[in-house]
C-alpha cells in the first residue's frame, strides 16, 4: 500500500514542545479499508476525501483521533534493539518519534549490560516516557519462575519499583484447559492477582490473542472470552485488547465447531464495558483469507484495520477520551525502529472530521 507524505502539525508541535529542533516530514497514512463494518453502537465515520487522498485522514483538520499523551509502544516490538543497544538509545529514538509511554516485556537489556529498576525508571522519565505497564508470564512448572502464579510478590514489587499503574500477562487463561470450568478456575486466580495488584494501587490485566475467542470444548455454544469476562471481577481484572488478534479471532471463530454462525465485533466488547479496557495494542494487518489467522501483520497504517474508526468510537464515549492507553506493536517488524517511527506518524495523522 502506498503512503502519502505530509507534515503533521500535531506531531510537529509536540516534538517542538519537547525541545526537538525539527521533525521529519513524511507523516504516514494508508488507505484503511476497515476490518469489519462498524457496529450500531459505534460512532459513525463520516469523513470523506478525494479519491487521490488516503480515505478518512483529514490531515491538519479536525480533532486528533489519538488523545495527547496516550501513545505508547510495547517494547517487545523493539527487543532486538534493546538487547543490542540497550534501553537508552531506544528511548532516545522513541522520544524523537513522539511516544509518550512504554510497556515493558522484560527489564533486562541483553548484551548492553545490567540495569537496575531504579535506573530504568529514571531513564524512561528522562526521555519523557511514562512506564505504563508490563507483561509477565501467568504460570510455569518451575516453582522459581518469574510468573504471577509462582512469584506474585516479586512481580508486584518490581512493578511498584518502576511506578507502573498496570501489570499484566499476555498468557491466555488456558492453564487448566479449554472447558468452562477450567476458565472459571483460571478466572479465580486472575481475581486473586487483581486484588493483590489493587492493594498496591495497580491494575492487573490480561492481553488476548485470537484463541481466547474460541469455544469451550465441553460447551461449543460458549465463547471462552465471554467466560473470562463473566467470571472475573470487573473491579479487579482488566483487559488489554490486542486489536489485531481480536480481529483475527473474528476471522477464525465467527462460526461454532458445528458450522453454525456466531458473529461478533471486537469493538462491541469495548463499547459495552469501556472501563475494563484501560490498554490497547494497536497492531495492523492486511486481510489474507489464505492465512490461518486471517491477516498478514504489517506496520500500523499499512493494513486494513480502520484505526480512525476504532479509536474514535472508544474516545467519543462520555468520559473516555483520556481513559485509555494505545500501545503500538508489531510481533516481528522488518526493521523495528522504522516500524516505531512510521506507526507514530500514522497514528498522529488521524483526524476526526470537523
Amino acid at each position: 500500500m502506498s503512503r502519502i507524505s505530509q507534515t503533521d502539525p500535531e506531531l510537529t508541535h509536540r516534538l517542538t514542545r519537547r525541545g526537538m529542533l525539527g521533525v521529519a516530514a513524511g507523516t504516514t497514512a494508508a488507505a484503511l479499508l476497515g476490518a469489519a463494518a462498524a457496529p450500531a453502537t459505534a460512532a459513525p465515520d463520516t469523513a470523506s476525501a478525494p479519491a487521490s487522498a488516503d480515505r478518512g485522514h483529514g490531515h491538519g483538520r479536525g480533532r486528533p483521533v489519538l488523545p495527547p499523551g496516550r501513545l505508547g509502544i510495547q517494547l517487545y516490538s523493539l527487543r532486538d534493539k534493546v538487547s543490542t543497544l540497550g534501553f537508552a538509545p531506544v528511548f532516545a529514538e522513541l522520544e524523537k518519534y513522539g511516544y509518550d509511554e512504554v510497556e515493558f516485556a522484560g527489564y533486562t537489556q541483553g548484551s548492553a549490560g545490567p540495569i537496575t529498576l531504579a535506573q530504568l525508571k529514571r531513564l524512561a522519565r528522562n526521555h519523557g516516557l511514562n512506564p505504563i505497564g508490563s507483561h509477565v508470564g501467568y504460570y510455569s512448572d518451575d516453582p522459581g519462575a518469574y510468573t504471577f502464579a509462582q512469584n506474585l510478590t516479586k512481580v508486584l514489587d518490581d512493578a511498584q519499583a518502576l511506578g507502573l499503574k498496570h501489570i499484566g500477562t499476555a498468557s491466555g487463561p488456558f492453564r487448566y484447559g479449554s472447558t468452562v470450568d477450567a476458565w472459571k478456575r483460571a478466572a479465580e486466580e486472575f481475581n486473586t492477582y487483581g486484588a493483590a495488584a489493587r492493594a498496591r494501587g495497580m491494575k492487573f490485566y490480561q492481553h488476548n490473542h485470537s484463541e481466547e475467542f474460541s469455544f469451550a470444548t465441553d460447551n461449543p455454544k460458549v465463547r471462552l472470552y465471554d467466560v473470562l469476562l463473566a467470571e472475573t471481577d470487573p473491579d479487579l481484572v482488566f483487559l488489554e485488547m490486542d486489536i489485531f488478534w481480536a480481529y483475527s479471532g473474528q476471522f477464525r471463530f465467527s462460526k461454532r465447531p458445528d458450522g453454525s454462525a456466531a458473529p461478533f465485533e471486537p469493538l462491541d466488547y469495548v463499547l459495552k464495558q469501556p472501563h475494563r479496557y484501560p490498554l490497547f495494542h494497536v497492531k495492523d494487518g492486511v486481510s489474507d483469507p489464505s492465512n490461518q489467522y486471517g491477516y498478514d501483520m504489517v506496520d500500523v497504517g499499512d493494513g486494513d484495520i480502520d484505526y480512525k474508526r476504532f479509536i474514535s468510537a472508544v474516545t467519543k464515549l462520555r468520559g473516555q477520551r483520556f481513559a485509555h492507553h494505545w500501545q503500538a506493536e508489531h510481533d516481528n517488524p522488518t526493521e523495528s525502529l522504522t516500524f516505531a517511527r512510521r506507526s507514530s506518524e500514522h497514528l498522529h495523522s488521524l483526524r476526526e472530521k470537523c
Side-chain angles (χ1 to χ4, degrees), residues 297-342:
M297 199 175 295
V298 296
D299 290 357
V300 179
D302 283 347
D304 297 336
I305 297 177
D306 190 343
Y307 276 111
K308 180 184 174 188
R309 178 181 74 89
F310 194 103
I311 298 175
S312 290
V314 177
T315 58
K316 283 182 178 178
L317 295 173
R318 185 174 181 179
Q320 296 298 310
R321 180 154 176 79
F322 293 96
H324 309 275
H325 304 264
W326 307 88
Q327 315 294 307
E329 189 187 31
H330 191 309
D331 290 356
N332 292 290
T334 301
E335 208 297 312
S336 58
L337 287 175
T338 299
F339 154 75
R341 175 181 57 79
R342 297 174 82 206

Side-chain angles (χ1 to χ4, degrees), residues 6-324:
Q6 299 182 27
T7 301
D8 174 25
E10 167 74 6
L11 183 55
T12 302
H13 170 72
R14 293 176 66 253
L15 296 185
T16 300
R17 178 166 50 82
R18 285 185 176 187
M20 298 296 146
L21 297 179
V23 60
T27 294
T28 53
L32 299 180
L33 304 181
T41 53
D45 183 355
T46 58
S48 60
S52 60
D54 284 356
R55 293 191 295 272
H57 287 232
H59 292 275
R61 295 175 296 180
R63 185 173 71 166
V65 167
L66 188 71
R70 290 296 185 267
L71 178 60
I73 190 167
Q74 166 52 254
L75 291 172
Y76 181 77
S77 305
L78 300 165
R79 61 195 180 277
D80 60 326
K81 296 297 190 294
V82 171
S83 65
T84 56
L85 303 176
F87 284 107
V90 171
F91 286 175
E93 290 300 302
L94 295 179
E95 182 180 19
K96 288 194 295 185
Y97 301 160
Y99 283 94
D100 309 295
E101 302 173 336
V102 288
E103 183 184 30
F104 289 101
Y107 311 134
T108 60
Q109 50 181 358
S111 62
I115 187 170
T116 68
L117 294 177
Q119 290 171 329
L120 185 54
K121 178 181 179 181
R122 183 167 58 251
L123 183 63
R125 301 290 185 178
N126 288 345
H127 287 287
L129 299 169
N130 179 32
I132 193 64
S134 181
H135 284 186
V136 176
Y138 168 19
Y139 69 94
S140 171
D141 293 332
D142 177 3
Y146 189 79
T147 65
F148 283 95
Q150 276 66 42
N151 276 291
L152 177 62
T153 299
K154 175 61 174 171
V155 167
L156 296 181
D157 284 346
D158 290 349
Q160 199 164 22
L162 282 166
L164 302 181
K165 295 300 183 185
H166 308 83
I167 180 69
T169 183
S171 303
F174 292 96
R175 182 179 187 180
Y176 304 107
S178 299
T179 65
V180 172
D181 284 343
W183 273 52
K184 286 182 177 181
R185 187 177 176 187
E188 278 305 307
E189 292 184 342
F190 281 14
N191 286 333
T192 299
Y193 309 150
R198 186 172 71 169
R200 300 196 189 208
M202 293 179 283
K203 292 180 178 180
F204 169 79
Y205 64 95
Q206 193 267 342
H207 162 286
N208 66 274
H209 292 88
S210 61
E211 288 77 10
E212 282 87 336
F213 297 95
S214 63
F215 299 94
T217 53
D218 61 333
N219 187 347
K221 293 183 178 180
V222 174
R223 194 180 301 279
L224 288 172
Y225 195 70
D226 295 335
V227 177
L228 177 66
L229 287 169
E231 297 297 327
T232 50
D233 186 329
D235 293 325
L236 299 177
V237 177
F238 299 86
L239 293 308
E240 176 179 59
M241 179 175 281
D242 185 304
I243 299 168
F244 171 93
W245 287 119
Y247 279 106
S248 172
Q250 182 192 60
F251 172 83
R252 298 179 66 192
F253 303 113
S254 283
K255 290 184 179 180
R256 298 184 182 88
D258 64 3
S260 60
F264 73 96
E265 164 57 50
L267 181 56
D268 282 349
Y269 279 106
V270 183
L271 299 181
K272 185 176 180 180
Q273 299 186 75
H275 64 286
R276 296 205 72 178
Y277 293 88
L279 305 173
F280 292 92
H281 273 188
V282 179
K283 183 185 298 179
D284 214 343
V286 174
S287 179
D288 179 6
S290 68
N291 183 321
Q292 64 172 323
Y293 296 107
Y295 293 87
D296 298 319
M297 199 175 295
V298 296
D299 290 357
V300 179
D302 283 347
D304 297 336
I305 297 177
D306 190 343
Y307 276 111
K308 180 184 174 188
R309 178 181 74 89
F310 194 103
I311 298 175
S312 290
V314 177
T315 58
K316 283 182 178 178
L317 295 173
R318 185 174 181 179
Q320 296 298 310
R321 180 154 176 79
F322 293 96
H324 309 275

